[in-house]
């Protein structure tokens, strides 16, 4: 098998951990697998580098930030290759540039443009283990770039796609993807399989195991992903195409996003262009609007409710202050949360949403907003009921069984 193994910051967080990673990589190589390793910086290192720069300047130049930040992954990549050599393996450390990763020039959040397979395959053919610094690339002009926070996942997936790896294993400090946050519901179960789309929904809903961009890229390039822990030998969660998710459970997981706020615009003028003006103003202020609900207009007026991240509430109020004439009243509520159920099986089942509503009703939890998609039902409720709602729904869809 040709596999890419990516190790996150906690997995390479100390010299002892790096030695343990080398052991694991060596085991795969001894089994006969061809292995490419991608590493993150030691946990905390990227933040420390940022802090140092901010002690010198409030607005450090982004080109130089990339030069600085890319160094964290260089350290772990070199140390991992040294640890592998010490175990008698034939390993070579490569920077993003040496691995051939070409990006655009948007410093600190560059997009990968090209990953040629040859610079890596060449080393594999020579029987070497290629250890690559994640999170970084180079522009066509030769400047070092980084891919945005958590970007090593993206490096791993892009490489796996380029060299047509059989599998891309993402090693972290959790065992995989769970039916819900185990800190909220201790009956949460690790999932064996989940589809790309379900993973994307769960990740954007706050179940952060993998960087979202990397899941999108894996879906596009059809890279099979496994997320698992580098701290034990348990099997992780396979993230793959929907066709390969045999059982297709109706609901795969329940997610909670506590950082939500709600804005209600009451009695808004009901004429063409109003929504465009309001959401245009929010877009210009780079506010991430999520759920939008508009009621059917009556007497030339309509109500418009939407959610935003609570951290963007003040900005939202500022962006909307010029709309006084087009509406009667604005109300804001930052004590809400969003609870969602996600599952590809919903597509072919009816009554899924109804069960959610009745389960919450039984506990007297009031639903403030509802939105649905093909594989997701989300409700906004009072924040203080968020964790209770997660437990109720986890049981209601038999996720603890
Ligand atoms: N070291 C980078 C970060 O902390 C990239 C990564 O860990 O994936 O964001
Ligand atoms: Mg990381």
């Amino acid at each position: 098998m040709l596999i890419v193994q990516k190790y996150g910051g906690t997995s390479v967080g100390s010299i002892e951990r790096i030695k343990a990673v080398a052991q694991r990589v060596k085991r795969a190589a001894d089994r006969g697998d061809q292995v490419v390793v991608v590493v993150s910086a030691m946990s905390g290192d990227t933040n420390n580098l940022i802090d140092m720069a901010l002690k010198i300047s409030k607005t450090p130049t982004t080109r130089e930030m990339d030069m600085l930040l890319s160094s964290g992954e260089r350290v772990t990549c070199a140390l991992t290759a040294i640890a592998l050599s010490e175990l008698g393996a034939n390993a070579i450390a490569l920077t993003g540039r040496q691995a051939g990763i070409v990006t655009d020039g948007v410093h600190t959040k560059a997009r990968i443009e090209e990953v040629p397979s040859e610079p890596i395959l060449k080393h594999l053919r020579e029987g070497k283990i290629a250890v690559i610094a994640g999170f970084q690339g180079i522009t066509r002009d030769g400047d070092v770039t980084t891919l945005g926070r958590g970007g090593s996942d993206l490096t791993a997936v892009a490489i796996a796609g380029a060299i047509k790896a059989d599998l891309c294993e993402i090693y972290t400090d959790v065992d995989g993807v769970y039916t819900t946050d185990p800190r909220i519901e201790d009956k949460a179960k690790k999932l064996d399989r989940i589809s790309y789309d379900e993973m994307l929904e769960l990740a954007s809903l706050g179940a952060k195991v993998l960087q979202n961009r990397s899941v999108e890229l894996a879906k596009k390039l059809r890279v099979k992903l496994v997320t698992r822990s580098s701290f034990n030998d348990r099997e992780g969660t396979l993230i793959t195409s929907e066709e390969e998710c045999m059982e297709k459970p109706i609901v795969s997981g329940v997610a909670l996003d506590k950082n939500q706020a709600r804005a209600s615009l009451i009695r808004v003028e009901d004429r063409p262009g109003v929504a465009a003006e309001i959401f245009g103003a929010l877009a210009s202020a780079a506010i991430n609007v999520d759920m939008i609900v508009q009621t059917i207009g009556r007497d030339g007026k309509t109500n418009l409710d939407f959610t935003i991240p609570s951290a963007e509430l003040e900005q939202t109020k500022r962006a909307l202050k010029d709309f006084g004439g087009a509406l009667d009243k604005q109300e804001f509520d930052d004590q809400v949360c969003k609870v969602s159920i996600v599952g590809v099986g919903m597509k072919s089942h009816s009554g899924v949403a109804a069960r959610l509503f009745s389960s919450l009703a039984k506990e007297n939890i009031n639903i403030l907003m509802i939105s649905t998609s093909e594989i997701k039902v989300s409700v906004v409720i009072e924040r203080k009921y968020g964790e209770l709602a997660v437990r109720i729904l986890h049981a209601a869809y038999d996720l603890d069984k």
Side-chain angles (χ1 to χ4, degrees):
M1 278 225 300
L2 174 55
I3 46 179
V4 173
Q5 296 190 332
K6 183 261 169 176
Y7 292 92
T10 50
S11 297
V12 293
S14 67
I15 295 301
E16 285 318 306
R17 291 298 314 152
I18 288 176
K19 287 183 180 171
V21 162
Q23 297 273 8
R24 189 182 284 267
V25 174
K26 173 90 170 14
R27 256 190 284 149
D30 288 347
R31 256 192 334 251
D33 288 337
Q34 285 186 301
V35 197
V36 174
V37 181
V38 174
V39 286
S40 286
M42 288 185 174
S43 56
D45 263 17
T46 308
N47 288 338
N48 288 340
L49 292 169
I50 293 173
D51 290 346
M52 280 197 276
L54 292 179
K55 277 187 188 142
I56 299 172
S57 164
K58 280 203 193 84
T59 51
T61 50
T62 54
R63 181 187 177 281
E64 279 59 41
M65 280 311 276
D66 276 351
M67 185 87 89
L68 178 68
L69 296 190
S70 61
S71 68
E73 271 72 9
R74 259 193 188 227
V75 171
T76 45
C77 140
L79 289 175
T80 305
I82 292 171
L84 277 163
S85 304
E86 191 61 19
L87 296 176
N90 192 357
I92 182 164
L94 302 169
T95 61
R97 165 195 213 132
Q98 290 171 317
I101 297 169
V102 178
T103 72
D104 65 16
V106 185
H107 285 290
T108 74
K109 38 179 184 269
R111 293 200 152 257
I112 296 178
E113 288 185 344
E114 198 190 328
V115 184
S117 55
E118 210 28 49
I120 297 167
L121 291 179
K122 181 180 81 193
H123 295 296
L124 298 184
R125 276 199 302 272
E126 290 168 5
K128 290 183 199 148
I129 298 169
V131 187
I132 298 163
F135 177 54
Q136 55 184 273
I138 189 173
T139 64
R140 293 190 198 274
D141 296 333
D143 275 335
V144 177
T145 50
T146 63
L147 307 177
R149 297 308 303 270
S152 301
D153 287 351
L154 202 61
T155 305
V157 172
I159 288 175
I163 65 172
K164 303 202 163 42
D166 299 297
L167 195 62
C168 179
E169 295 181 321
I170 308 280
Y171 285 93
T172 68
D173 50 9
V174 291
D175 286 353
V177 183
Y178 280 76
T179 48
T180 195
D181 185 342
R183 285 167 303 185
I184 297 176
E185 170 54 273
D186 57 17
K187 295 195 194 91
K189 293 243 159 9
K190 193 189 58 107
L191 295 160
D192 293 332
R193 270 168 197 250
I194 187 168
S195 70
Y196 296 119
D197 288 328
E198 288 170 308
M199 186 64 216
L200 284 168
E201 291 288 8
L202 288 171
S204 62
L205 296 169
K208 292 226 165 47
V209 196
L210 278 171
Q211 192 219 30
N212 245 7
R213 268 168 77 196
S214 66
V215 181
E216 278 163 18
L217 189 65
K219 181 183 173 191
K220 190 167 136 205
L221 303 177
R222 305 210 134 239
V223 169
K224 278 191 199 175
L225 285 176
V226 168
T227 111
R228 56 188 297 183
S229 169
S230 70
F231 293 77
N232 60 50
D233 283 325
R234 267 168 243 148
E235 277 181 35
T237 303
L238 175 67
I239 302 154
T240 185
S241 63
E242 197 177 313
E243 303 85 71
E244 290 195 44
C245 291
M246 312 288 274
E247 316 107 272
K248 297 204 174 66
I250 300 177
V251 171
S252 296
V254 183
L256 171 64
D257 184 348
K258 281 190 192 167
N259 303 314
Q260 292 274 310
R262 180 172 63 127
S264 306
L265 309 184
I266 296 154
R267 292 181 59 78
V268 182
E269 278 175 26
D270 192 15
R271 58 165 169 85
V274 172
E277 284 163 30
I278 291 174
F279 292 106
L282 295 170
S284 313
I287 291 161
N288 267 309
V289 177
D290 179 25
M291 238 187 242
I292 302 176
V293 177
Q294 184 188 315
T295 49
I296 292 185
R298 285 207 175 77
D299 328 317
K301 301 280 182 179
T302 183
N303 292 341
L304 204 51
D305 288 80
F306 56 90
T307 61
I308 42 173
S310 11
E312 293 172 13
L313 181 60
E314 290 311 312
Q315 269 168 281
T316 303
K317 288 182 185 170
R318 248 176 284 139
L320 292 175
K321 74 177 181 325
D322 292 337
F323 288 96
L327 48 90
D328 278 8
K329 202 157 75 167
Q330 303 185 4
E331 282 176 4
F332 300 94
D333 182 356
D334 69 348
Q335 289 305 310
V336 297
C337 67
K338 182 171 73 173
V339 181
S340 311
I341 53 170
V342 174
V344 286
M346 278 181 209
K347 289 183 189 174
S348 50
H349 281 83
S350 55
V352 179
R355 195 190 308 179
L356 183 154
F357 304 146
S358 63
S359 308
L360 295 182
K362 252 185 256 159
E363 299 292 328
N364 246 324
I365 297 175
N366 191 31
I367 298 171
L368 306 171
M369 288 167 86
I370 301 169
S371 93
T372 62
S373 80
E374 234 190 348
I375 65 165
K376 176 182 79 171
V377 182
S378 300
V379 290
V380 172
I381 59 174
E382 273 184 77
R383 190 174 296 163
K384 63 180 178 203
Y385 296 128
E387 303 201 346
L388 174 63
V390 166
R391 288 189 287 268
I392 291 167
L393 297 177
H394 197 264
Y397 294 97
D398 294 330
L399 294 175
D400 43 1
K401 301 276 153 62

